[in-house]
Amino acid sequence: QQPVQSPQAVILREGEDAVINCSSSKALYSVHWYRQKHGEAPVFLMILLKGGEQKGHDKISASFNEKKQQSSLYLTASQLSYSGTYFCGTEEGSGGSNYKLTFGKGTLLTVNP
Amino acid sequence: GAVVSQHPSRVICKSGTSVKIECRSLDFQATTMFWYRQFPKQSLMLMATSNEGSKATYEQGVEKDKFLINHASLTLSTLTVTSAHPEDSSFYICSAKGDTQYFGPGTRLTVL
C-alpha cells in the first residue's frame, strides 16, 4: 500500500522551516526517508523503527507515530542544498524476511535564496 | 555510508536489442537487492526483489521474461532488458539492502 505524502510541493526561502508528512493505512514496522535531486539516485537520510522514536542530525529530524502510522520529516533553517524531492519508504508488518519498501509519491522541496 | 555502484549510467540502444545493467555493493555484502523504475517526476516503482542464489521475486505487472534479473554473488545483481522497445525507456535504479536500502546512481535507458 503506497504511503501518502503531504504536501506535494513546498517552496521556502533560505532559513525557513518545513514539515513533510507520510502516512499509511497499514501497520508499519519502519519508515525510511530519502532525498533525491534531479537526475540522481535517492540519498538515505534516516530510518525510524517501530517504537515512536525521533531521530535527527544537523537540522533535519523525523518522528514516527506508530499508533497513527504516520511519520514526519522536519527541516529547520533550510539551506539551498535541501532542495530536492523527499520520499518516504515504508516497511509494513513486523519486519523480517519479506522486507520491502513502498515509496510515497514524493514531496518537491524548493529552497530559494 | 554504504556505496552502491551502477553501470552503465546512460545507455542508448535500438529497438529490439537487449541491455544489461549491473548493480554492485562496493563495501558491504547484500543478500537482497532491489530494482526500481522511475518515470520523470514520479515515485520509485519496485520492479523486483533480487535474492542472492535464488530466483527474483517480481512485482505484479512486471514481465519476468522481459526483465531478467540475476543475483550471482553477494555484491552483484544484473538486470537485462530484453528486446527493448521505446516504452522501456526510463530511469532504472538499483538498491542494496544493508541496515536500510542504499541506492545506486541509476541508469538512464533510451530506446530509439
Side-chain angles (χ1 to χ4, degrees), chain B residues 23 25 30-35 48-50 71 74-77 95-96:
Chain B
C23 178
S25 55
T31 55
T32 304
M33 292 185 174
F34 303 89
W35 288 95
T49 302
S50 169
H71 193 155
L74 289 172
T75 59
L76 173 65
S77 176
S95 71

Side-chain angles (χ1 to χ4, degrees), chain A residues 33-110:
Chain A
W33 284 97
Y34 293 83
R35 176 173 59 216
Q36 184 180 31
K37 293 189 180 285
H38 180 69
E40 300 178 8
V43 172
F44 171 70
L45 295 177
M46 65 188 75
I47 177 176
L48 299 113
L49 300 175
K50 193 173 179 179
E53 60 177 340
Q54 185 155 348
K55 276 192 176 179
H57 56 81
D58 199 11
K59 296 186 174 75
I60 300 176
S61 62
S63 63
F64 176 27
N65 185 326
E66 63 179 289
K67 289 183 180 178
K68 294 184 177 180
Q69 309 308 328
Q70 289 179 355
S71 178
S72 296
L73 185 71
Y74 307 94
L75 302 109
T76 58
S78 59
Q79 305 168 16
L80 296 176
S81 62
Y82 287 4
S83 292
T85 300
Y86 288 78
F87 291 100
C88 67
T90 54
E91 179 187 5
E92 296 175 5
S94 55
S97 58
N98 291 327
Y99 165 93
K100 74 175 182 181
L101 293 182
T102 305
F103 288 90
K105 291 186 176 181
T107 296
L108 178 61
L109 177 73
T110 304

Side-chain angles (χ1 to χ4, degrees), chain B residues 58-98:
Chain B
Y58 291 81
E59 295 299 300
Q60 195 171 10
V62 178
E63 298 176 59
K64 58 182 68 175
D65 293 332
K66 180 160 187 66
F67 299 99
L68 301 179
I69 291 172
N70 184 276
H71 193 155
S73 77
L74 289 172
T75 59
L76 173 65
S77 176
T78 60
L79 168 69
T80 302
V81 183
T82 62
S83 188
H85 291 285
E87 58 265 30
D88 298 324
S89 298
S90 191
F91 191 50
Y92 292 87
I93 313 176
C94 72
S95 71
K97 184 180 183 301

